[in-house]
Amino acid sequence: MAQPSFLTRTVRNFSALFKADAFEGILLIAVAITALVVANSGVAGSYFELFNGYLWPKETFYLNTLHLWVNDGLMVIFFFVVGLEVKRELIAGNLSDPKARNLPILAAIAGMAFPAALYFLIAGSEPGLARGWAIPAATDIAFAMGVIGLLGTRVPASLRLFLLTVAIVDDIGAVAIIAVFYSDPKIMWLLISLGVFIGMIAMNRFGVRSLAAFVLATIVLWYCVLNSGVHATIAGVLAAFTIPMRSGDGHSMLENVEHALVPWSAYLVVPIFGFANAGVSLDGLGLDALLDPLPLAIATGLVVGKQVGIFATVWGAVKLGIVDKPPGCNWIEIWGVCILCGIGFTMSLFIGELAFEGSSDAMRFLRDEAKIGILTGSLISALMGYTVLRFTTDRPEAQIDDPKSPVV
């Protein structure tokens, strides 16, 4: 059988790329680069005015800029999808097996604790910076899985599952951090929100199977949580937990809704969020800006804290016999996947906006520095993890001339 030409092989790989996990990560990279270019171009003024220009007085309605609508409104869809995914995993997925979830839970906890500790070590004593401790604690599922998609068969299925499960547990931790540490609760609205949430649980328990009823209740819950002082996106996660796993006809309402929303979240919501939040003006900033305490602490937490925390925990737990090593992989491959957990992006940008919230020049400067640290740390983690997995493993590749083979 004649071997396909170089052009044919290239076209096949390029085409497969847009059907693989890699596309979501590539899309986020393109969005981040575009936002940086636009924020430092001749249309930078229009870019910042578009997202930060006032639509009406804050007294009229809290969400008075497009930036707030993206972060407090549109991102509810992203968190709703996260909640659906977590519930499905807890009920019928990998997190439903106590033995299978021990390793990713231990890894995720260490993957949040170590970056936070490094952040405090580098920037914790600086005035006003302590609030940013959680920024390097998050892992971006789409970005990390996108890099895995680029590597094709070099990454065994057990490690793909490990990374995905760690990222899901990481998301649970990030949501809890936002709710506990980046909220200023108002008791009356909080009680009303709790009442709506309990009502949605009752709808599930008493067999309500109207999706429209749950959508309407979710909107009401979002409005109440928005006014409660707890970040509005938490409403998305809470609402998702009330969606029935099974409908009366035997179908899964939860899975149907998740499958319907995942593409919208991945290809519209997150890219819009990335474009609105990744843009930072580099005017007057040189490479030495990376050595400022805030960006240095964030980048170090993502690049060093994530991989050291996760890898050391996995290695220690396996050696102590607490858990089993993921099957079909070696320690170098595990290390490579641990490095990819240092890709923060979406969640890190989101927490950065909450940590240094405010309209003053000082807060805007801190948010810009945080973005520099996030983008730098995520990029280094992506390139380093890809390099380790691409060039240090001897796992055979899929045949490139097989149109069903993963991209490599």
Side-chain angles (χ1 to χ4, degrees):
M1 180 177 177
Q3 290 294 318
S5 67
F6 173 77
L7 178 61
T8 301
R9 294 169 63 183
T10 301
V11 170
R12 282 183 181 176
N13 269 359
F14 187 77
S15 299
L17 182 64
F18 289 89
K19 300 176 184 177
D21 292 333
F23 181 60
E24 290 183 36
I26 290 173
L27 179 60
L28 290 183
I29 293 171
V31 165
I33 293 173
T34 302
L36 281 171
V37 170
V38 171
N40 292 277
S41 69
V43 296
S46 299
Y47 167 81
F48 290 113
E49 178 62 26
L50 171 66
F51 289 109
N52 298 298
Y54 294 125
L55 302 173
W56 46 71
K58 182 154 283 193
E59 293 74 23
T60 302
F61 188 56
Y62 169 71
L63 304 184
N64 66 339
T65 68
L66 186 57
H67 185 266
L68 285 174
W69 273 105
V70 169
N71 286 19
D72 293 51
L74 193 62
M75 280 295 283
V76 173
I77 298 174
F78 168 78
F79 278 86
F80 185 77
V81 172
V82 169
L84 293 174
E85 189 173 47
V86 169
K87 181 175 180 178
R88 175 176 51 77
E89 287 290 329
L90 287 170
I91 293 176
N94 195 49
L95 292 177
S96 64
D97 181 357
K99 190 174 181 180
R101 68 188 176 213
N102 286 340
L103 181 59
I105 288 176
L106 288 172
I109 292 172
M112 289 184 283
F114 274 67
L118 275 178
Y119 180 95
F120 272 118
L121 185 65
I122 296 171
S125 61
E126 297 290 329
L129 298 189
R131 276 182 58 83
W133 65 271
I135 296 174
T139 294
D140 190 290
I141 295 179
F143 215 141
M145 292 304 294
V147 176
I148 290 290
L150 283 172
L151 290 158
T153 55
R154 283 189 175 83
V155 181
S158 62
L159 280 186
R160 288 172 179 263
L161 181 60
F162 170 74
L163 175 60
L164 181 62
T165 312
V166 168
I168 290 171
V169 177
D170 193 286
D171 277 348
I172 297 173
V175 169
I177 287 170
I178 291 170
V180 174
F181 296 99
Y182 296 107
S183 299
D184 183 18
K186 299 177 179 65
I187 299 301
M188 183 58 69
W189 277 106
L190 203 60
L191 291 174
I192 295 173
S193 301
L194 180 61
V196 175
F197 178 57
I198 292 174
M200 294 182 71
I201 294 175
M203 289 167 59
N204 185 329
R205 293 291 185 184
F206 287 107
V208 175
R209 293 301 179 258
S210 168
L211 180 59
F214 280 98
V215 170
L216 180 60
T218 298
I219 295 172
V220 173
L221 180 62
W222 168 78
Y223 181 80
C224 294
V225 174
L226 177 68
N227 287 279
S228 73
V230 176
H231 199 272
T233 51
I234 301 299
V237 178
L238 294 177
F241 287 163
T242 69
I243 302 298
M245 185 67 182
R246 297 294 173 194
S247 302
D249 57 3
H251 293 92
S252 172
M253 180 189 290
L254 184 147
E255 290 183 353
N256 290 340
V257 173
E258 183 184 1
H259 291 159
L261 288 180
V262 161
W264 291 97
S265 175
Y267 302 128
L268 182 67
V269 174
V270 173
I272 290 175
F273 169 81
F275 184 70
N277 288 274
V280 53
S281 175
L282 302 178
D283 186 32
L285 294 176
L287 291 176
D288 57 334
L290 289 172
L291 299 179
D292 287 350
L294 181 56
L296 180 63
I298 293 171
T300 303
L302 288 171
V303 177
V304 179
K306 276 287 186 181
Q307 63 171 292
V308 171
I310 296 176
F311 184 79
T313 299
V314 172
W315 186 86
V318 170
K319 294 301 180 183
L320 291 173
I322 299 173
V323 297
D324 296 326
K325 184 165 75 76
C329 61
N330 57 48
W331 285 109
I332 293 180
E333 291 167 336
I334 293 174
W335 175 46
V337 168
C338 292
I339 297 171
L340 291 181
C341 291
I343 303 174
F345 200 72
T346 306
M347 274 294 194
S348 292
L349 286 173
F350 194 85
I351 294 174
E353 291 289 324
L354 298 178
F356 304 114
E357 196 173 23
S359 57
S360 68
D361 289 341
M363 288 295 104
R364 279 195 290 267
F365 177 76
L366 290 178
R367 286 197 296 272
D368 285 349
E369 284 212 321
K371 291 174 186 177
I372 292 172
I374 293 166
L375 295 173
T376 302
S378 297
L379 179 61
I380 293 173
S381 294
L383 293 175
M384 185 178 178
Y386 177 88
T387 300
V388 168
L389 291 169
R390 175 67 175 78
F391 296 107
T392 64
T393 62
D394 55 3
R395 190 171 300 279
E397 301 179 12
Q399 291 298 313
I400 199 168
D401 56 344
D402 180 357
K404 294 183 180 180
S405 295
V407 150
V408 294

